[in-house]
Each structure stands twice: as structure tokens, then as C-alpha cells.
Amino acid sequence: MTDRSDPELDRLWQEFHEFVNMSSGELRDFLMAAGSGEDASPENPGRWMPELGQEVLNILGKRKVDLTPGDLETMRRVVGIAEDAEAHAASAAQDDRQRRSLMAVGHDPLRPARTED
């Protein structure tokens, strides 16, 4: 469990959720579809999901106060991916392989940016 008043946690939480623009349902569906290839097991299709994508999915189901140190490390990894993706945004949107790689961690580069109300 984490401290509610940690500014570093607040920043990380914000950056993570700004980058992850897919809902948990959308991410789960994408990961299940990606994991349903010929190597997939009908008894346990989730077993073939990318580990980082599963971790992101797990975090999306949590409140900030329930994050573990492992969750925070996953969020840092995803924010790092976000920073790299931002530098290559145009190519990621056009390259299907790069787009799928980003979608595996919850970011669809073709989705319009969220607007603040």
C-alpha cells in the first residue's frame, strides 16, 4: 500500500494514466486476441498474454492507495515507453507492428488525445 500524499506517486499515476488510453476491457480484449494464435491454449488463453500488458491490466483495476512496489516499477516502465513513443509518434501511428506493441501496454497511438473538461 502506498502513501496518499506522495507527490512523486501523484506524478507517476498521472503520467501512467495519460499514456494508457485504452480501457481495461479494451486492453484485455486486445491481449486476449493477441494471445489467441496457434500457440495459445484453450484452457488458459491468458497465459500467452505479454507479461507487461497483464501487469498494466492489473494496475488499471487498482486504486492508487493499493499499488505495490512492483506496480510502481511497472508504471515507471510504461512511462519510459511513453516517453520513447512520444519521440517516435508519427512512425508508431503508421507502423502496425509498433502500434500493436504500444497497444499491448494500453496505448493506442491512433486514438485522439484526451481533452481536459
Side-chain angles (χ1 to χ4, degrees):
M1 197 180 290
T2 60
D3 180 7
R4 292 179 192 233
S5 63
D6 182 352
E8 172 64 20
L9 173 62
D10 293 340
R11 182 196 56 77
L12 180 60
W13 179 264
Q14 181 70 28
E15 289 178 356
F16 175 83
H17 282 89
E18 285 175 3
F19 177 70
V20 176
N21 63 1
M22 295 169 66
S23 70
S24 58
E26 290 169 328
L27 178 56
R28 182 179 303 105
D29 290 348
F30 177 81
L31 294 173
M32 293 296 285
S36 65
E38 62 185 51
D39 292 331
S41 166
E43 297 85 38
N44 189 4
R47 188 175 110 197
W48 300 99
M49 287 186 201
E51 184 178 339
L52 184 56
Q54 289 180 12
E55 292 170 7
V56 170
L57 191 57
N58 183 43
I59 291 168
L60 291 175
K62 291 187 173 188
R63 301 175 305 160
K64 189 179 353 178
V65 296
D66 295 329
L67 296 172
T68 67
D71 294 334
L72 297 177
E73 182 55 36
T74 295
M75 291 172 72
R76 286 185 193 96
R77 285 177 59 199
V78 170
V79 168
I81 292 168
E83 291 166 353
D84 187 51
E86 187 175 301
H88 302 93
S91 63
Q94 295 173 350
D95 182 344
D96 189 56
R97 187 175 47 118
Q98 286 179 306
R99 179 177 180 235
R100 290 181 173 282
S101 176
L102 291 171
M103 289 177 72
V105 294
H107 178 76
D108 184 348
L110 297 181
R111 181 167 288 172
R114 294 180 187 172
T115 57
E116 297 290 322
D117 291 332

